Amino acid sequence: MTDRIDLSNLPSYRQPRRSVFSARKFALMASVVAGLGAAVYGFSPSTSPADLFSSPAHAQVNNEVRKVERPIGFADIVERVKPSVISVKVNIKEKTASNDDGDDSSSPFQPGSPMERFFRRFGGQDGFPPGLKGGGRGRVVQGQGSGFFISADGFAVTNNHVVDGADKVEVTTDDGKTYTAKVIGTDQRTDLALIKVEGSSNFPFAKLADSKPRIGDWVLAVGNPFGLGGTVTAGIVSASGRDIGNGPYDDFIQIDAPVNKGNSGGPAFDTNGEVMGVNTAIYSPSGGSVGIAFSIPASTVKSVVAQLKDKGSVSRGWIGVQIQPVTSDIADSLGMKKAEGALVAEPQANGPAAKAGIESGDVITSVNGETVKDARELARTIGGMAPGATVKLNVLHKGQDKVINLTLGQLPNTVEAKADNDNDSGKGASKGTDVPKLGMTVAPANSVAGAGKEGVVVTEVDPKSAAAERGFKEGDVILEVGGKSVATAGEVRDAITAARADNKNSVLMRVKSGGQSRFVAVPLAKG
């Protein structure tokens, strides 16, 4: 029971008038104070104001609040994983002569080559990294990146662009020791490399994660930014499945942990201390971190590293088709309910797909029963399989579903696309015949020098037309309209009329441009 406070014993006490401090107003003020205490400290007040800040209940809850407010750090994780991370230093001996005028400021690598891009991104002024030695013929260029051990016997992962073309590779471990390493194998398409560090059989190593990270998960990036030595930064997974235009196998994890020059090849750890990805690229106007970095997923690293360790290179499955995404307009033209799958623009002659009966205009919708969402997913799925494997493809062929079984070939190391230089601008073309509603004129291909014998050549495009908006240009060859081969302007008009009669909003055209085929869905004007 709570004691009552007798105010009449106080010297300054005067009996209050009822209009100033009534019992009702005093109770109201007490409840307001108690309410503030409850709001601030998160508990219900006791019956006595004197117990407000000293009750056992308050002490217990206040301790819980302090536990929640205490910052959660990553020191335990970092202490465990940081020894597995290494600094990678490479020496590349220039094999080209200096300029005749004695100016050695130009980059020693071919423009656009992996090493030229690497040093432009991670080097110093004019594409040379800090530490450039010598001058003129025979000078040595140095660069630095990051990596991490994946086994106790010295196998380590880094980026291809870090070690590509290196004459000498050295690594420095977290304890400051330096070792020589040799390159076991590289894969340019995924920008991964496997190196072997000699000198010990008991290196601390990291484990590649088995599960995919979720958007919002914590991530720790460990590496060697700006050559400073082992550095740790933290952030979250911002996105997954990112395509940054690096190639058909792009499937990057986007993170916002600060990643800077020299972090390439370093690991991105999850809170279990496992490697969720390998840092490979950043998006930055200035060259420094702006919170957008990209990591190669651990699942990709596992499959690539296994092949590099086994044979020093990567073999990928191949079906031999040019593919493109199925847009909503293309889906409408083909009568598809959803814009998904991969549209075959052209099967390669004598390739596995052509031999199995796949044709231009077919849409590959699934592989071994797994739905294909888009063209990139098909490329990644087929590329992840071994050459010689048999796959089952579900294909939409001329509006009908069919199943095709084929044996995968091996993806060629280089793919050459020969442009049809004789067909750049429709030289020798007649003025052509207008195709109404589309804003272009066409002429039979056999009437235009160098255009071939099939299709019609675009001889003129209205820059404000629907055709121009879809990328048509003078010299393009239209091979098919609405799934039918065309050889004259009249056949183009007939195909368009048939599409309108079928209440199509657009008509699908197969177009050859610069030696490559693609499908274009052109919207149809009404009337």
Side-chain angles (χ1 to χ4, degrees):
M1 183 173 181
T2 305
D3 293 336
R4 300 184 62 182
I5 302 175
D6 188 359
L7 299 178
S8 63
N9 294 329
L10 299 176
S12 60
Y13 172 77
R14 290 184 180 180
Q15 182 70 30
R17 289 177 294 177
R18 186 176 297 275
S19 62
V20 180
F21 270 114
S22 64
R24 181 179 180 182
K25 289 182 178 179
F26 185 82
L28 179 61
M29 291 177 65
S31 66
V32 170
V33 173
L36 288 173
V40 175
Y41 291 96
F43 67 96
S44 300
S46 64
T47 56
S48 170
D51 293 334
L52 188 60
F53 301 103
S54 60
S55 67
H58 164 260
Q60 179 181 357
V61 175
N62 195 37
N63 287 337
E64 295 299 323
V65 171
R66 287 175 180 171
K67 289 181 181 179
V68 173
E69 290 177 347
R70 184 177 300 137
I72 301 174
F74 303 104
D76 291 340
I77 301 173
V78 172
E79 185 178 4
R80 180 158 52 94
V81 303
K82 193 166 176 283
S84 66
V85 183
I86 57 177
S87 170
V88 181
K89 185 173 76 171
V90 299
N91 288 354
I92 301 98
K93 191 173 183 179
E94 184 190 0
K95 297 178 176 60
T96 59
S98 60
N99 295 336
D100 293 338
D101 59 3
D103 180 10
D104 296 326
S105 61
S106 60
S107 174
F109 309 106
Q110 290 294 327
S113 69
M115 289 309 300
E116 193 270 344
R117 293 197 305 270
F118 170 58
F119 285 122
R120 289 290 176 190
R121 182 188 302 173
F122 299 101
Q125 188 176 7
D126 297 323
F128 293 122
L132 173 66
K133 296 181 179 180
R137 185 189 300 269
R139 62 185 170 186
V140 176
V141 179
Q142 294 181 345
Q144 289 187 333
S146 303
F148 60 98
F149 288 114
I150 58 171
S151 65
D153 56 353
F155 282 99
V157 173
T158 185
N159 280 150
N160 169 67
H161 74 255
V162 171
V163 299
D164 185 31
D167 296 297
K168 182 180 180 181
V169 180
E170 289 183 342
V171 305
T172 303
T173 57
D174 189 54
D175 58 6
K177 295 180 180 179
T178 300
Y179 300 89
T180 300
K182 64 178 180 179
V183 178
I184 301 300
T186 62
D187 181 45
Q188 185 176 357
R189 286 186 170 93
T190 57
D191 195 23
L192 287 170
L194 180 67
I195 62 177
K196 179 68 164 61
V197 181
E198 305 294 344
S200 178
S201 60
N202 193 30
F203 290 110
F205 62 93
K207 180 181 182 296
L208 293 166
D210 294 321
S211 59
K212 293 182 178 180
R214 299 179 303 166
I215 297 173
D217 279 350
W218 283 109
V219 58
L220 301 176
V222 186
N224 180 37
F226 304 108
L228 296 172
T231 302
V232 181
T233 55
I236 63 169
V237 174
S238 303
S240 61
R242 284 297 198 216
D243 177 10
I244 63 175
N246 193 52
Y249 306 104
D250 282 8
D251 188 27
F252 293 108
I253 302 168
Q254 181 182 328
I255 64 176
D256 73 346
V259 172
N260 290 289
K261 296 178 181 180
N263 273 115
S264 271
F269 289 101
D270 59 23
T271 51
N272 294 321
E274 298 179 348
V275 178
M276 69 167 66
V278 177
N279 301 322
T280 189
I282 61 174
Y283 173 79
S284 172
S286 63
S289 173
V290 294
I292 302 178
F294 302 97
S295 298
I296 306 163
S299 56
T300 301
V301 179
K302 284 182 179 180
S303 61
V304 169
V305 165
Q307 292 196 56
L308 293 179
K309 187 175 181 180
D310 182 45
K311 54 188 177 181
S313 61
V314 177
S315 299
R316 291 183 170 86
W318 175 70
I319 60 175
V321 291
Q322 292 179 21
I323 54 176
Q324 66 182 83
V326 177
T327 65
S328 56
D329 287 340
I330 290 176
D332 177 72
S333 302
L334 295 174
M336 298 174 64
K337 295 181 180 180
K338 292 183 179 181
E340 60 183 16
L343 176 62
V344 178
E346 185 174 5
Q348 187 167 335
N350 299 319
K355 292 179 179 179
I358 293 178
E359 301 177 2
S360 297
D362 289 351
V363 179
I364 300 174
T365 57
S366 71
V367 178
N368 292 336
E370 296 293 329
T371 301
V372 173
K373 295 181 180 179
D374 52 34
R376 286 177 55 236
E377 184 171 277
L378 175 64
R380 290 197 304 269
T381 301
I382 297 298
M385 297 180 177
T390 301
V391 297
K392 182 181 74 173
L393 304 179
N394 285 80
V395 177
L396 180 66
H397 176 74
K398 299 185 183 302
Q400 301 294 321
D401 291 320
K402 60 186 297 187
V403 177
I404 294 179
N405 294 299
L406 59 80
T407 301
L408 298 180
Q410 180 172 331
L411 181 69
N413 290 329
T414 57
V415 179
E416 297 181 0
K418 183 178 179 181
D420 188 355
N421 295 326
D422 293 333
N423 191 34
D424 287 343
S425 58
K427 292 181 180 179
S430 62
K431 187 175 180 181
T433 304
D434 179 57
V435 179
K437 309 297 184 181
L438 296 184
M440 62 181 175
T441 59
V442 298
N446 56 19
S447 68
V448 179
K453 298 180 180 180
E454 298 180 348
V456 296
V457 178
V458 177
T459 59
E460 187 177 352
V461 180
D462 182 347
K464 297 181 180 180
S465 66
E469 290 179 356
R470 291 303 188 274
F472 281 92
K473 63 182 184 296
E474 187 177 336
D476 286 350
V477 179
I478 300 174
L479 301 172
E480 296 178 4
V481 179
K484 297 179 180 180
S485 298
V486 294
T488 66
E491 291 178 349
V492 174
R493 286 193 293 265
D494 291 344
I496 292 174
T497 300
R500 284 202 184 98
D502 290 339
N503 295 318
K504 297 287 183 65
N505 295 319
S506 57
V507 62
L508 196 63
M509 298 185 179
R510 186 161 74 94
V511 183
K512 185 178 181 181
S513 179
Q516 300 290 319
S517 294
R518 74 183 193 279
F519 281 91
V520 181
V522 182
L524 296 175
K526 301 300 181 182

